[in-house]
Amino acid sequence: MSTTITKYATRAGAVAGIGAAGLLALSGAASAAGHAGTVHTHGSPLTARASASTSARSTGSYANGAKVTISCQTNGSKVTGIYGTSTLWDKVGKGYVSDTYVKTGSDGRVAPQCGKTPAPPTSTKGCSTKGLNDPHSCGAAVAWAKAHLGRSSSDYAHRCDHVVALAYGFGASGSQSANSHWAAIPGKYKHSGDTTVPAGGLAFFHSSSFGHVMISLGGGKFASNDIHGNGTYTTTTIAEIKSKWGEHYVGWAQPWFQANH
């Protein structure tokens, strides 16, 4: 096999047996009811299975390059494919394909758990990008944060302001630190001392060095880098940041970034 490709921004599902003769060619057209993806193999068809297992019966196949719609995802057999090794499988049509061979534009899950009623979208009421020209909306930024929870990357280590910028679609925040970011935000976008942070809002902490910033997931939960290990991206709270790092909470702000101001 060729060199494994990172899943970041090139999401894929692993193959569950490919190239079997006589497989039914399935349409790859995507519909609105699901997440769009593209099958990527080394050229052979990607076999779809009746369940998330390499030993399950075939339900057909998808050609390399076929457009597919992922209705839900589940865990099953571990498979090594173009985009690494994973137990995640995608429900496509009436069958399942391993996630390491399906490009979806994300390293994380992109569809609800199979067999479960999708949770209602997180309310971002109170968060607004109006007039800020952010590439992502508050809702899209929260979705990015949730999809990246549990990930560990050197790109995240000691770069909190960079991580929240990624959530909002920027390559860089434009600020040197969380401290300088907070200082630059116009007062009309700040809510000093307020700990009731809407999903998508940016919570800031001050310290004598660089400070800290993280994105709210709503309900008092936040997505933050480093708090549970350098470079890791996990869920935390304002109280944990204060007690573990001893930083002073200064308030939250709308997603204003120096990168576009």
Side-chain angles (χ1 to χ4, degrees):
M1 278 201 157
S2 63
T3 302
T4 298
I5 302 171
T6 178
K7 281 187 173 185
Y8 183 59
T10 53
R11 177 87 183 209
V15 98
I18 57 176
L23 292 176
L24 172 65
L26 301 177
S27 169
S31 72
H35 187 93
T38 303
V39 171
H40 278 182
T41 69
H42 293 293
S44 301
L46 174 63
T47 301
R49 301 288 178 179
S51 64
S53 171
T54 55
S55 61
R57 65 177 177 83
S58 169
T59 60
S61 70
Y62 291 89
N64 182 33
K67 304 297 183 182
V68 297
T69 298
I70 301 167
S71 58
C72 63
Q73 294 176 301
T74 190
N75 292 100
S77 298
K78 181 183 291 187
V79 179
T80 298
I82 284 184
Y83 298 98
T85 299
S86 176
T87 61
L88 188 63
W89 288 64
D90 305 332
K91 179 71 179 295
V92 177
K94 295 183 178 180
Y96 295 82
V97 294
S98 175
D99 186 60
T100 57
Y101 282 89
V102 183
K103 179 180 178 181
T104 64
S106 172
D107 289 344
R109 282 177 173 263
V110 296
Q113 175 69 27
C114 295
K116 292 187 177 180
T117 301
T122 301
S123 172
T124 56
K125 184 178 180 180
C127 177
S128 175
T129 57
K130 185 177 181 179
L132 300 182
N133 300 314
D134 293 350
H136 291 172
S137 66
C138 294
V142 171
W144 184 96
K146 288 183 175 180
H148 289 73
L149 286 173
R151 185 167 308 162
S152 181
S153 170
S154 59
D155 191 41
Y156 300 167
H158 310 295
R159 304 185 73 194
C160 59
D161 208 51
H162 173 64
V163 176
V164 294
L166 291 178
Y168 273 96
F170 294 100
S173 74
S175 300
Q176 293 298 312
S177 68
N179 283 348
S180 62
H181 187 169
W182 173 260
I185 298 173
K188 65 180 180 179
Y189 298 117
K190 292 180 179 180
H191 301 266
S192 298
D194 186 358
T195 57
T196 306
V197 189
L202 304 182
F204 286 84
F205 298 79
H206 180 79
S207 72
S208 59
S209 53
F210 300 104
H212 186 62
V213 60
M214 57 190 183
I215 186 170
S216 172
L217 302 177
K221 300 295 184 182
F222 298 81
S224 173
N225 63 313
D226 295 345
I227 188 63
H228 298 132
N230 288 343
T232 61
Y233 196 56
T234 54
T235 303
T236 188
T237 63
I238 289 174
E240 184 177 29
I241 298 292
K242 292 169 65 177
S243 64
K244 191 170 182 177
W245 285 345
E247 300 210 355
H248 171 64
Y249 178 71
V250 294
W252 72 272
Q254 301 290 1
W256 184 98
F257 292 88
Q258 283 188 314
N260 63 346
H261 290 280

